Amino acid sequence: MASDLRKIGVSDDCELAVRIDDYLLPWDIRPPVVMLHGLAESGEAFRRWVPYFATHHLVVRPDLRGYGDSTPMQGDYVYRFAGLGDDIIRMLDALKLDRVFLIGGKIGGTLALHLTAKYPNRVIAVAAVGAPASLTSFNERAPTWRKQIREQGVEAWVRETTAGRLGSSLPPAALDWWIGLMSKTKASTLEAFLKMVPSVDVTGELPSIKRPTLVITTTGSGLGDVASVKAWQETIPGARLEVLPGDSYHVAATDPDVCARKVREFFDRVAT
């Protein structure tokens, strides 16, 4: 088997689409790696990361509830952040995966931190890449985004916000690819999801994380300067911080090769 797309029911109203990348040799199997994407993305956000892990790990890339090829959510659906975590645990159970390495980008990294705190027996180590610990600062931005999406559509919102998200380092073709990926998200899913976003705050959970943790950010991240990221990162016992140069907050997208190598090396050290 190589890459496979499966549908896994996690509740009465949702099937998660899950990309499974399996290039393993039967005698050289290490723990699986689960990759959690961010707002308005899908598991395809990590496509460049797959070659760095798939030679020795089963790679699992779910589309979070409402996103990608998963069941779209209606605009009046009430997202719960903890519920997103429950979806991932049900997915792991369905795939019979006991303990995994976790990687998350943007709010997917926030979710990965939450899962590591709440389900330490299911996580070997975690990497939060361009992830905020709190999204309460989106209290004003999120309603404005919802209004723009309702009036102008998803693609208009994606295009207007891409510079802040991806910075100035990517060529036009790469920006177009990311705009295309994110613009596939259903407007109803974003309407519902963005209502939840300003309530997301895992800072209180961070001190309880007992698994090896890597945090990656950039010098010019729009989600928080280095000092503010370091402040919450240091509340995680033994956590390591990597700071890359750049003005992107979605560093998993703008610097996938550098980030993937750093995360793989971190996981390899944990496993030895």
Side-chain angles (χ1 to χ4, degrees):
M1 183 169 65
S3 292
D4 182 32
L5 181 65
R6 301 187 196 177
K7 294 289 187 75
I8 295 175
V10 292
S11 66
D12 292 340
D13 61 346
C14 181
E15 283 187 325
L16 292 190
V18 184
R19 291 165 179 79
I20 298 177
D21 305 291
D22 184 353
Y23 298 89
L24 298 173
L25 298 172
W27 58 90
D28 188 12
I29 298 175
R30 302 174 196 179
V33 173
V34 176
M35 301 178 177
L36 304 178
H37 66 81
L39 173 69
E41 296 179 351
S42 70
E44 279 294 278
F46 282 101
R47 63 181 295 129
R48 182 71 174 188
W49 288 61
V50 173
Y52 289 91
F53 294 91
T55 53
H56 295 290
H57 303 266
L58 185 76
V59 175
V60 179
R61 296 180 287 146
D63 295 347
L64 299 182
R65 174 179 289 258
Y67 290 108
D69 292 312
S70 294
T71 308
M73 294 293 105
Q74 297 302 310
D76 60 356
Y77 177 76
V78 179
Y79 270 98
R80 294 183 307 106
F81 191 66
L84 294 173
D86 294 340
D87 287 346
I88 300 304
I89 295 301
R90 293 187 186 108
M91 176 199 76
L92 295 180
D93 290 343
L95 294 173
K96 296 181 170 53
L97 301 179
D98 183 24
R99 300 176 70 240
V100 301
F101 289 109
L102 265 184
I103 300 169
K106 300 192 300 178
I107 199 173
T110 316
L111 182 60
L113 293 170
H114 163 73
L115 285 166
T116 306
K118 186 174 181 182
Y119 301 98
N121 60 318
R122 307 299 296 267
V123 180
I124 301 166
V126 61
V129 187
S134 172
L135 286 158
T136 56
S137 63
F138 280 70
N139 193 48
E140 295 182 2
R141 231 180 312 180
T144 301
W145 284 357
R146 287 165 47 212
K147 182 175 184 291
Q148 181 180 13
I149 291 166
R150 286 195 299 269
E151 294 177 353
Q152 302 174 27
V154 174
E155 184 174 344
W157 165 72
V158 173
R159 287 189 179 278
E160 186 170 309
T161 56
T162 286
R165 184 181 305 109
L166 298 178
S168 58
S169 66
L170 290 181
L175 293 175
D176 287 344
W177 188 88
W178 279 99
I179 290 168
L181 175 72
M182 297 182 69
S183 297
K184 294 176 183 177
T185 308
K186 299 294 185 184
S188 60
T189 289
L190 287 171
E191 172 70 19
F193 197 86
L194 285 167
K195 291 177 186 175
M196 175 201 69
V197 164
S199 69
V200 175
D201 187 342
V202 301
T203 51
E205 300 179 58
L206 301 182
S208 66
I209 291 177
K210 307 301 182 188
R211 294 292 179 261
T213 303
L214 175 64
V215 176
I216 301 179
T217 189
T218 60
T219 52
S221 171
L223 291 181
D225 60 23
V226 174
S228 63
V229 173
K230 187 176 182 181
W232 64 256
Q233 168 261 323
E234 288 183 337
T235 69
I236 305 172
R240 175 178 167 186
L241 177 64
E242 290 274 358
V243 181
L244 302 183
D247 57 357
S248 160
Y249 70 73
H250 193 3
V251 66
T254 55
D255 299 84
D257 299 297
V258 175
C259 290
R261 282 195 295 266
K262 288 184 178 296
V263 173
R264 185 182 64 187
E265 291 166 2
F266 181 75
F267 287 171
D268 285 346
R269 284 195 295 272
V270 169
T272 56

